[in-house]
PDB file of all heavy atoms in Angstrom:
ATOM      1  N   PRO A   2     124.790 110.078  94.167  1.00  0.00           N
ATOM      2  CA  PRO A   2     125.315 111.453  94.433  1.00  0.00           C
ATOM      3  C   PRO A   2     126.579 111.776  93.637  1.00  0.00           C
ATOM      4  O   PRO A   2     126.715 112.938  93.209  1.00  0.00           O
ATOM      5  CB  PRO A   2     125.552 111.486  95.947  1.00  0.00           C
ATOM      6  CG  PRO A   2     124.650 110.435  96.446  1.00  0.00           C
ATOM      7  CD  PRO A   2     124.594 109.367  95.388  1.00  0.00           C
ATOM      8  N   PRO A  11     123.600 122.824  92.905  1.00  0.00           N
ATOM      9  CA  PRO A  11     123.579 121.436  93.326  1.00  0.00           C
ATOM     10  C   PRO A  11     122.151 120.859  93.383  1.00  0.00           C
ATOM     11  O   PRO A  11     121.173 121.662  93.662  1.00  0.00           O
ATOM     12  CB  PRO A  11     124.220 121.426  94.690  1.00  0.00           C
ATOM     13  CG  PRO A  11     124.180 122.857  95.131  1.00  0.00           C
ATOM     14  CD  PRO A  11     124.066 123.722  93.907  1.00  0.00           C
ATOM     15  N   SER A  25     104.373 121.538  89.191  1.00  0.00           N
ATOM     16  CA  SER A  25     105.692 121.052  88.715  1.00  0.00           C
ATOM     17  C   SER A  25     105.530 119.731  87.961  1.00  0.00           C
ATOM     18  O   SER A  25     106.139 119.537  86.892  1.00  0.00           O
ATOM     19  CB  SER A  25     106.664 120.897  89.854  1.00  0.00           C
ATOM     20  OG  SER A  25     107.865 120.485  89.398  1.00  0.00           O
ATOM     21  N   TYR A  34     111.342 113.355  90.601  1.00  0.00           N
ATOM     22  CA  TYR A  34     110.365 113.501  91.637  1.00  0.00           C
ATOM     23  C   TYR A  34     110.403 112.239  92.467  1.00  0.00           C
ATOM     24  O   TYR A  34     110.554 111.120  91.965  1.00  0.00           O
ATOM     25  CB  TYR A  34     108.907 113.573  91.015  1.00  0.00           C
ATOM     26  CG  TYR A  34     108.798 114.811  90.181  1.00  0.00           C
ATOM     27  CD1 TYR A  34     109.091 114.799  88.819  1.00  0.00           C
ATOM     28  CD2 TYR A  34     108.389 116.021  90.779  1.00  0.00           C
ATOM     29  CE1 TYR A  34     108.966 115.913  88.070  1.00  0.00           C
ATOM     30  CE2 TYR A  34     108.321 117.183  90.005  1.00  0.00           C
ATOM     31  CZ  TYR A  34     108.592 117.151  88.638  1.00  0.00           C
ATOM     32  OH  TYR A  34     108.448 118.289  87.922  1.00  0.00           O
ATOM     33  N   ALA A  55      98.179 113.878  85.731  1.00  0.00           N
ATOM     34  CA  ALA A  55      98.906 114.807  86.606  1.00  0.00           C
ATOM     35  C   ALA A  55     100.317 115.021  86.062  1.00  0.00           C
ATOM     36  O   ALA A  55     100.903 116.103  86.271  1.00  0.00           O
ATOM     37  CB  ALA A  55      98.969 114.245  88.026  1.00  0.00           C
ATOM     38  N   LEU A  74     104.605  98.679 113.113  1.00  0.00           N
ATOM     39  CA  LEU A  74     103.888  99.012 114.338  1.00  0.00           C
ATOM     40  C   LEU A  74     104.581  98.329 115.473  1.00  0.00           C
ATOM     41  O   LEU A  74     104.805  97.101 115.506  1.00  0.00           O
ATOM     42  CB  LEU A  74     102.459  98.466 114.252  1.00  0.00           C
ATOM     43  CG  LEU A  74     101.587  98.653 115.508  1.00  0.00           C
ATOM     44  CD1 LEU A  74     101.380 100.132 115.786  1.00  0.00           C
ATOM     45  CD2 LEU A  74     100.297  97.941 115.369  1.00  0.00           C
ATOM     46  N   VAL A  76     104.419  97.643 119.497  1.00  0.00           N
ATOM     47  CA  VAL A  76     103.406  97.656 120.536  1.00  0.00           C
ATOM     48  C   VAL A  76     103.929  96.918 121.756  1.00  0.00           C
ATOM     49  O   VAL A  76     104.873  96.131 121.681  1.00  0.00           O
ATOM     50  CB  VAL A  76     102.068  97.046 120.090  1.00  0.00           C
ATOM     51  CG1 VAL A  76     101.417  97.835 119.022  1.00  0.00           C
ATOM     52  CG2 VAL A  76     102.252  95.614 119.701  1.00  0.00           C
ATOM     53  N   PRO A  98      85.205  85.040 122.401  1.00  0.00           N
ATOM     54  CA  PRO A  98      84.731  84.908 123.799  1.00  0.00           C
ATOM     55  C   PRO A  98      85.209  83.598 124.377  1.00  0.00           C
ATOM     56  O   PRO A  98      85.204  82.573 123.698  1.00  0.00           O
ATOM     57  CB  PRO A  98      83.217  85.009 123.653  1.00  0.00           C
ATOM     58  CG  PRO A  98      82.898  84.918 122.205  1.00  0.00           C
ATOM     59  CD  PRO A  98      84.159  85.096 121.454  1.00  0.00           C
TER      60      PRO A  98
END
Side-chain angles (χ1 to χ4, degrees):
S25 181
Y34 298 91
L74 176 65
V76 296

